Amino acid sequence: MSAVELSIDKFSALLDRLAVKGVSFDVFDTLLTRTFAKPTDLFIDLGQTLQDYGLISVAMAPGRFGRLRVIAENQARLARTDNEPNLAEIYTVLRERLRWNDEQCERAQQLEIELERRSFRPYAQAIEYVNLARSRSCKIAFVSDMYLPSAFIKDTLVKFGAAQESERLFVSCEHRVSKAHGGLFKKLEEHFQLPPLSILHVGDAEKGDWKVPRGLGFHTHRVRATQLGPIEKLHVPFSPELLGLPGHMAAASRNARLQVSNTVQSPQLGEVGASLLGPMMAAFALWTFVRAHDAGLERLYYVSRDGQVMRQIALAVQARVPRFKHIDCRYIYGSRIAWHHASLAELDARHLRWMMDPQPAINAKIFARRLGVDESVINDCLAAHGGSALVTQKSWKGQSAAQARKIFSDNQSALLAAAKADARRLTARKYFEQEGLFDDAPWGLVELGWSGSMLTSLCHALGRTEILPAFYFCQSHDDPDLPALVSLESFLMQPGGAQHHFAPHLRLPELIEALTAADHPTVLGYQEEPDGKIGPTLKSGTVPMWPADYLKSLRSGALAFVEALDDEALDRLENCTRGDLSSRFLATEFLSVFSRFVEKPDSALVTPFTQCVFSEDPADEHRRTFVQPVGLLRALKERVFTSDDLWPEGSLACSSGFVRALVTGGFGYASDHIIRQIKRRWMPFG
């Protein structure tokens, strides 16, 4: 998990304890963040901008210009004995390389400055530190190792309320000395006319803002929350391949995380929402809108329960992309059980296939829940037709499953009557009519996944004869009964797709379902309400997958990501989702990030998943906590993890350091771990 910043009260206590008279603040990644994960990501956007203005040839790809801009800065740095060039000196190198005249060179510099200006975002917590120090009558100054002009940086700080006009800003390219080598701190000391022990410096860099000033006698406080978090870092390597887009997404994730970290119950889940769920779902929303628009659809129905967060994020995206506002995004109550029952006229092979699906097991109790009857109905049916032994079996397999299937098929009339199948089909049809599924307006369906079997039942229930467009977030396999009229497209996963390469042994589907959990139970069917409308029949007596505050934390982070994504990145994300190949490459980037997070999770980000309770069957016979710390006794066993573990890597990550060392490296590695901990505790400088 990313670092949690000091509260204002604790920073106030720090000022009291140190009794400092002057406070200096670093600028970038302390008071200001950018909409770029790395400063060099800006150069890719700059290359596109210069191309648009005709300042570089269309033959020079934006990524190539970005690399050229980095080379020019390095050359300008090497040309000076102090290694501190300014922007003009960097562009002198570029001018020679690109054969610009004076006017073109000046225009290019201004375009870079304008991109920088649009990319700045204030970090509210650090700006509150400034205001607090100022209210204590401390002298205030700002320092930065940077090639940009101080006047430009100062104007930005004033605009965001971080600096006042009378306060000084020291920039390395103008004073030709840096923080990293201590020269700017000497300038700061002269300006304050205070001894170092009377000055507190606040910044993010380990060397330039912490080690160097401490070595000069300054007090320091290191801001860490602005650094990229563990998931955010996973996006960055894909930046060159996707023209800087992943860098934009990583930066938006960071800015969203900073926004929600102090406002949600679980900052860790807020970070997962901002860094993982938000980017994936925002891209999926755009991908869906593009295809719905191209198909002439006027409505999109987001199917409960997974569709709840999908719709929320889609509405947030829609609010920022006006050309998709004509698409009516509706929430429709549905589930596998509800829609299978909506088409259940006989216990044919199709219906028995899902009712007898051993996921994770099938027995009398689970079958009764799937059919929607009391367990005694199934027990009596089995006992009366030679299946008494099946009643008490925990899981039907092989011959037992075949015997049960034959008994149910032979006695389907009685079972369907007990399930009130005719009435359930009629009520479901009324609900579909009420929700506009029989209207003339063209519509499509949005769902999480996985095989399309729900679509099969919906088509049968509606008696549909025209094309049914459907957009899945993930499709893992094909339902053998899926009608040809269903036009099913999937964004993140395809049957037999890249997920089998990235994550052959990871249980990604279960984690995706946890991330897209709803705030209401499963829909079992439909019922007439007192006002005459048809509403959902919700499953009762079950514990929610997430505590309410945890679910809110997750969604707050995801929605904050949509707000934090800058306009240029949003346009680029939409363009990526338009093409089939580019959208597949984008999905592959998400799959890689998602898989690496699941395979090697950050221990702090995993911890909230101990509060997530997951079940894979309607009878709740297999309810499990998503992750469980591994105890020493379990770690000593030959098999640490079993098929019951939903996220074994997560369970290990939230276990003690000794257990992790024991499981991953054996007794020798675990012993070394203990020795390292003792040295760190009792001999930190040894």
Side-chain angles (χ1 to χ4, degrees):
M1 177 188 172
S2 302
V4 177
E5 209 56 69
L6 278 183
S7 67
I8 292 301
D9 288 342
K10 289 184 177 179
F11 188 74
S12 176
L14 177 67
L15 292 179
D16 289 338
R17 178 168 59 83
L18 298 178
V20 294
K21 297 180 180 179
V23 185
S24 61
F25 292 89
D26 173 50
V27 177
F28 297 104
D29 289 335
T30 299
L31 297 172
L32 302 177
T33 62
R34 289 183 173 98
T35 57
F36 302 94
K38 300 186 300 181
T40 52
D41 288 337
L42 179 143
F43 303 149
I44 299 176
D45 279 24
L46 179 59
Q48 183 62 61
T49 302
L50 294 176
Q51 206 172 75
D52 294 342
Y53 279 86
L55 292 171
I56 61 173
S57 167
V58 293
M60 178 177 285
R64 182 185 166 198
F65 173 81
R67 295 190 295 273
L68 182 60
R69 169 62 177 77
V70 172
I71 292 170
E73 183 176 336
N74 290 336
Q75 290 179 344
R77 196 173 299 280
L78 291 173
R80 296 193 57 86
T81 57
D82 52 41
N83 291 327
E84 291 298 331
N86 57 33
L87 191 63
E89 290 164 347
I90 294 170
Y91 270 82
T92 297
V93 178
L94 283 172
R95 174 185 174 177
E96 295 176 2
R97 179 69 179 271
L98 298 172
R99 298 181 180 178
W100 283 333
N101 57 36
D102 290 345
E103 183 181 350
Q104 289 172 320
C105 187
E106 178 63 26
R107 181 61 175 147
Q109 287 186 66
Q110 291 307 312
L111 288 172
E112 177 170 338
I113 288 175
E114 183 55 34
L115 275 181
E116 288 276 14
R117 188 192 311 278
R118 295 205 305 268
S119 78
F120 294 148
R121 298 292 184 270
Y123 178 33
Q125 184 85 350
I127 292 177
E128 287 188 37
Y129 292 166
V130 179
N131 292 330
L132 177 64
R134 192 180 288 124
S135 71
R136 300 289 187 87
S137 299
C138 293
K139 295 180 179 180
I140 304 294
F142 306 91
V143 292
S144 180
D145 284 349
M146 176 50 79
Y147 46 76
L148 292 171
S150 62
F152 166 66
I153 300 173
K154 179 71 173 293
D155 286 346
T156 303
L157 291 174
V158 172
K159 171 188 171 184
F160 288 127
Q164 294 181 353
E165 291 289 355
S166 59
E167 293 166 343
R168 286 287 304 276
L169 166 65
F170 297 86
V171 180
S172 61
C173 71
E174 294 178 354
H175 292 276
R176 306 296 186 176
V177 290
S178 68
K179 289 185 304 172
H181 292 92
L184 277 186
F185 291 108
K186 294 293 185 181
K187 297 285 183 180
L188 190 66
E189 186 179 343
E190 293 170 5
H191 168 68
F192 278 153
Q193 295 185 343
L194 293 171
L197 282 177
S198 295
I199 303 172
L200 170 68
H201 177 66
V202 179
D204 70 295
E206 180 177 4
K207 180 181 178 182
D209 294 310
W210 187 64
K211 287 184 178 179
V212 171
R214 284 177 70 89
L216 294 172
F218 286 69
H219 294 292
T220 60
H221 171 64
R222 193 172 172 200
V223 171
R224 299 172 184 267
T226 52
Q227 298 174 359
L228 293 179
I231 303 176
E232 294 150 15
K233 290 177 182 176
L234 298 178
H235 287 282
V236 174
F238 291 89
S239 254
E241 278 76 10
L242 285 167
L243 293 178
L245 177 59
H248 278 283
M249 292 192 294
S253 297
R254 171 185 59 192
N255 292 336
R257 165 175 54 80
L258 294 174
Q259 177 186 329
V260 303
S261 61
N262 292 326
T263 62
V264 296
Q265 175 72 24
S266 172
Q268 300 96 328
L269 279 180
E271 182 168 346
V272 173
S275 305
L276 190 63
L277 180 62
M280 291 195 299
M281 285 301 164
F284 177 59
L286 285 167
W287 178 85
T288 305
F289 284 145
V290 166
R291 278 146 189 78
H293 178 270
D294 291 347
L297 303 184
E298 297 176 8
R299 291 182 195 161
L300 287 174
Y301 288 96
Y302 290 78
V303 184
S304 66
R305 296 181 290 163
D306 318 298
Q308 190 179 61
V309 67
M310 292 180 181
R311 178 175 177 268
Q312 287 181 350
I313 294 176
L315 290 173
V317 169
Q318 196 177 44
R320 295 196 55 193
V321 187
R323 57 186 163 277
F324 296 135
K325 285 190 175 181
H326 66 284
I327 299 176
D328 183 10
C329 299
R330 299 187 179 185
Y331 190 61
I332 188 169
Y333 287 98
S335 68
R336 278 183 282 273
I337 287 180
W339 286 5
H340 288 327
H341 276 278
S343 68
L344 182 58
E346 59 178 327
L347 285 178
D348 56 9
R350 178 173 70 87
H351 283 293
L352 282 175
R353 187 179 296 115
W354 71 265
M355 286 188 181
M356 296 290 292
D357 184 9
Q359 183 184 346
I362 182 64
N363 55 34
K365 185 175 182 180
I366 293 175
F367 187 87
R369 293 293 179 90
R370 287 178 178 169
L371 183 58
V373 298
D374 188 80
E375 188 178 351
S376 63
V377 173
I378 301 302
N379 293 343
D380 292 345
C381 178
L382 292 171
H385 297 87
S388 298
L390 300 176
V391 173
T392 56
Q393 286 184 11
K394 291 185 177 181
S395 181
W396 298 334
K397 298 177 181 178
Q399 192 62 36
S400 295
Q403 181 185 4
R405 186 178 291 106
K406 186 177 187 309
I407 292 174
F408 297 144
S409 181
D410 292 344
N411 295 274
Q412 62 175 299
S413 296
L415 292 174
L416 291 176
K420 300 178 181 179
D422 291 344
R424 291 177 70 121
R425 291 200 313 275
L426 179 61
T427 306
R429 188 172 182 86
K430 289 181 179 179
Y431 177 73
F432 296 148
E433 290 176 348
Q434 171 187 290
E435 298 304 310
L437 299 191
F438 293 102
D439 293 354
D440 292 333
W443 56 269
L445 211 66
V446 184
E447 226 262 290
L448 180 66
W450 295 92
S451 69
S453 62
M454 286 178 63
L455 299 176
T456 300
S457 290
L458 181 64
C459 283
H460 284 280
L462 297 176
R464 190 165 178 107
T465 57
E466 63 269 25
I467 297 295
L468 174 59
F471 309 100
Y472 272 17
F473 184 62
C474 298
Q475 186 186 359
S476 58
H477 56 287
D478 289 300
D479 175 35
D481 299 308
L482 189 68
L485 60 85
V486 175
S487 174
L488 174 58
E489 297 182 77
S490 181
F491 174 67
L492 186 68
M493 296 182 185
Q494 313 290 324
Q499 68 272 14
H500 298 288
H501 169 72
F502 284 111
H505 308 297
L506 302 179
R507 302 184 70 167
L508 298 187
E510 288 85 352
L511 187 56
I512 289 173
E513 293 203 12
L515 294 175
T516 56
D519 61 6
H520 64 77
T522 298
V523 179
L524 299 179
Y526 306 98
Q527 60 186 352
E528 187 170 344
E529 298 179 342
D531 59 2
K533 290 186 176 181
I534 306 299
T537 301
L538 300 178
K539 187 176 182 179
S540 60
T542 60
V543 178
M545 187 180 295
W546 290 101
D549 286 342
Y550 278 57
L551 185 62
K552 184 178 179 182
S553 300
L554 184 63
R555 293 191 179 181
S556 294
L559 291 169
F561 169 83
V562 178
E563 295 178 9
L565 198 63
D566 61 287
D567 292 338
E568 291 85 353
L570 190 60
D571 288 342
R572 194 172 300 173
L573 184 58
E574 182 193 334
N575 288 333
C576 251
T577 62
R578 286 189 175 279
D580 290 337
L581 286 177
S582 56
S583 63
R584 291 308 315 142
F585 192 17
L586 181 65
T588 301
E589 192 264 349
F590 286 131
L591 266 176
S592 175
V593 170
F594 188 29
S595 301
R596 289 185 64 192
F597 165 67
V598 176
E599 188 174 19
K600 295 183 178 180
D602 178 83
S603 59
L605 295 182
V606 166
T607 301
F609 285 85
T610 59
Q611 303 300 311
C612 180
V613 182
F614 192 83
S615 176
E616 296 167 291
D617 71 78
D620 291 335
E621 289 193 341
H622 294 80
R623 292 188 71 83
R624 289 166 287 170
T625 304
F626 213 89
V627 298
Q628 302 180 54
V630 179
L632 180 59
L633 291 179
R634 189 180 178 194
L636 291 172
K637 292 181 180 180
E638 183 178 353
R639 290 189 63 194
V640 176
F641 301 112
T642 69
S643 60
D644 286 337
D645 286 292
L646 290 164
W647 190 5
E649 297 83 4
S651 294
L652 187 61
C654 66
S655 303
S656 70
F658 176 77
V659 166
R660 291 199 302 271
L662 180 64
V663 171
T664 57
F667 282 102
Y669 190 71
S671 300
D672 289 343
H673 170 79
I674 293 176
I675 294 172
R676 287 195 300 271
Q677 295 301 311
I678 292 174
K679 286 183 176 180
R680 187 175 300 168
R681 175 65 178 86
W682 298 106
M683 295 178 290
F685 305 107

